[in-house]
Amino acid sequence: MAQSGPVLIAGGGIGGLALAVGLAGKGVASIVLEKAATLGEIGAGIQLGPNAFHAFDYLGVGDTARAMAVYIDQLRLMDAMGGEEITHIDLGAAFRARFGNPYAVIHRGDLHGVFLKACRASPLVTLRTASEVTGYAQDGAGVTAHLASGEAVRGAALIGADGLWSNIRRQLVGDGAPRVSGHTTYRSVIPTERMPEDLRWNAATLWAGPKCHIVHYPLQGWKLFNLVVTYHNDAPQPVAGKPVAFEEVMRGFEHIHPRAQSIIRHGSDWKLWVLCDREPTEHWVDGRVALLGDAAHPMLQYFAQGACMAMEDAVCLAHAMAAHPGRVEAALDSYRGQRMLRTARVQLSSRAIGEHIYHPAGAHALLRNAIMSAKSSSDWYDALAWLYGGTGLAA
Ligand SMILES: Cc1cc2nc3c(=O)[nH]c(=O)nc-3n(C[C@H](O)[C@H](O)[C@H](O)COP(=O)(O)OP(=O)(O)OC[C@H]3O[C@@H](n4cnc5c(N)ncnc54)[C@H](O)[C@@H]3O)c2cc1C
């Protein structure tokens, strides 16, 4: 494809590397500029809807990604106060037949590694670390990424895949700091033998309680269990990955059922995040520069779709670049047009399900239980078809 230079990608997370792989599949060269000294991901889990598998296949990494995933049987919703199941969504044959792909969970490092391996295998991808992009300038012929080192790197396009605190977004949108949700999340990954035996379910399980919830699922061929517990304590400041003591984690969960509490007691090496998101924006593109993944549409994790959306973005952008050879600005506009509403819907719906499914109390929680327990798996498939049936490309 005629291209006046490589595509510059700020950020080598899941979104940035997925894009580099997608562009290489279209014959487009890219340079990934990653701020950190090494490329990698935090040691925790991630859920993959069937839409993630559509993306893997499009990006040519379907077999490798499938080999790393754990295929769970259910999405299970438990009442963290009463200790009983509210509902579950069956993820077996009927789910796969409906969406053409499974639902699975995977270790973040493994998922990132799938894309990293594909990038390293491609002569079209250049990976650079210790390369923080601070801003950009552009003219009719190309774009220049300015690095913190003072270096300037020239390309045909610049994609800001630089996450929640994106420098590219700061220049492109200028909408200030992310919104602090006040929800504090604690993460721990434990060996499976430390998980209470009667809770070693092959499910992504959510225990929903007043202003708090717990999520757990198996990882890495059942060697590990991923624990994610969240407390809506109106935390005022953003925090990322701060180690905390067990007592601090437990503080938000004194009021829930002992069975749910026991999950937290088995965690160790807890780390804390205060979650942030942003309002959706239609400003994703400035000439030859565009945003992707969390830089474009950071969301709370309640639909477990942030990384899935970043991979869908990568599919769509690679597709658009190939469909508009040599016309970068048209490609980026087409990409934005196809992605903006879908990702805005996931952003806003993630907030809504946090309020109405994950954290309600009292009558609000009883209403949740009544509505959700009345639904069959097939009702859930219909309700989720807009999300899981998508491929990242406009119909
Ligand atoms: C608790 C929790 C649970 C989650 N669970 C799920 C889930 O189950 N399923 C799911 O799909 N999603 C989930 N997510 C969301 C998912 O983690 C993110 O949406 C996804 O990682 C975003 O990927 P990204 O590549 O856009 O950004 P990031 O992963 O943030 O990557 C950005 C990269 O850019 C680099 N960088 C930053 N600034 C610069 C710069 N100026 N120049 C160069 N490089 C830079 C960073 O070092 C990083 O490597 C969860 C999130 C949280 C917080």
Side-chain angles (χ1 to χ4, degrees):
M1 185 180 99
Q3 193 79 40
S4 52
V7 173
L8 309 178
I9 303 172
I14 290 165
L17 294 191
L19 176 63
V21 172
L23 290 173
K26 303 295 185 191
V28 178
S30 65
I31 302 175
V32 178
L33 300 162
E34 165 59 44
K35 173 169 86 170
T38 52
L39 287 155
E41 255 286 353
I42 60 158
I46 210 158
Q47 301 184 47
L48 300 170
N51 54 321
F53 288 87
H54 293 303
F56 292 145
D57 288 333
Y58 187 95
L59 298 170
V61 297
D63 290 345
T64 348
R66 279 183 174 78
M68 301 276 183
V70 173
Y71 298 92
I72 50 175
D73 299 330
Q74 290 182 350
L75 299 176
R76 181 178 284 186
L77 177 64
M78 306 290 294
D79 188 318
M81 296 305 284
E84 75 282 357
E85 180 179 300
I86 302 167
T87 189
H88 67 262
I89 304 177
D90 191 82
L91 301 174
F95 180 92
R96 292 183 188 206
R98 173 77 185 259
F99 297 115
N101 267 306
Y103 196 103
V105 290
I106 194 166
H107 193 281
R108 280 170 179 267
D110 291 344
L111 175 58
H112 188 265
V114 165
F115 289 120
L116 188 55
K117 189 170 163 218
C119 285
R120 287 189 170 136
S122 171
L124 290 172
V125 181
T126 304
L127 297 169
R128 290 188 49 180
T129 52
S131 300
E132 178 181 358
V133 182
T134 54
Y136 63 85
Q138 58 184 321
D139 52 43
V143 55
T144 304
H146 296 291
L147 305 194
S149 62
E151 188 187 347
V153 184
R154 186 86 176 152
L158 169 64
I159 309 303
D162 48 348
L164 179 66
W165 296 93
S166 167
N167 283 349
I168 308 299
R169 182 178 180 122
R170 193 176 58 219
Q171 181 171 346
L172 197 155
V173 188
D175 56 351
R179 184 191 75 110
V180 181
S181 69
H183 299 203
T184 300
T185 279
Y186 308 90
R187 285 164 155 158
S188 170
V189 177
I190 58 171
T192 295
E193 55 273 18
R194 291 245 309 274
M195 186 70 180
E197 213 166 340
D198 62 334
L199 292 173
R200 287 183 204 162
W201 296 331
N202 193 27
T205 305
L206 162 63
W207 298 76
K211 287 197 158 199
C212 71
H213 72 268
I214 301 171
V215 171
H216 54 83
Y217 50 81
L219 282 179
Q220 282 195 326
W222 273 80
K223 288 201 286 289
L224 303 171
F225 253 82
N226 190 54
L227 311 181
V228 186
V229 311
T230 301
Y231 177 28
H232 186 174
N233 58 351
D234 298 314
Q237 298 291 337
V239 180
K242 181 181 144 206
V244 284
F246 158 77
E247 293 73 20
E248 178 175 341
V249 183
M250 204 60 211
R251 210 168 291 150
F253 299 85
E254 305 288 1
H255 56 302
I256 63 169
H257 194 277
R259 195 161 182 226
Q261 283 181 340
S262 75
I263 299 158
I264 303 174
R265 292 188 201 289
H266 289 84
S268 55
D269 299 326
W270 290 100
K271 292 199 178 65
L272 177 162
W273 279 259
V274 175
L275 303 173
C276 298
D277 68 357
R278 286 184 184 274
E279 299 304 324
T281 177
E282 67 268 45
H283 302 299
W284 288 32
V285 174
D286 170 17
R288 293 172 172 271
V289 184
L291 303 175
L292 178 147
D294 276 6
H297 43 69
M299 56 186 67
L300 300 181
Q301 80 268 27
Y302 300 149
F303 253 123
Q305 278 283 328
C308 298
M309 286 297 126
M311 292 187 288
E312 284 193 2
D313 289 349
V315 165
C316 185
L317 185 45
H319 193 81
M321 294 292 269
H324 298 87
R327 295 175 55 230
V328 167
E329 298 192 12
L332 299 188
D333 275 339
S334 162
Y335 157 72
R336 186 198 75 100
Q338 293 183 69
R339 295 299 299 153
M340 200 253 297
L341 291 183
R342 178 167 168 80
T343 53
R345 185 171 179 183
V346 185
Q347 275 177 293
L348 296 179
S349 306
S350 295
R351 276 187 202 169
I353 65 172
E355 186 182 343
H356 296 295
I357 298 180
Y358 281 69
H359 290 165
H364 192 170
L366 293 174
L367 177 62
R368 170 200 64 203
N369 293 3
I371 292 173
M372 297 191 73
S373 61
K375 285 192 195 291
S376 67
S377 282
S378 138
D379 293 335
W380 288 119
Y381 302 165
D382 291 344
L384 291 164
W386 68 274
L387 182 58
Y388 295 159
T391 60
L393 302 174

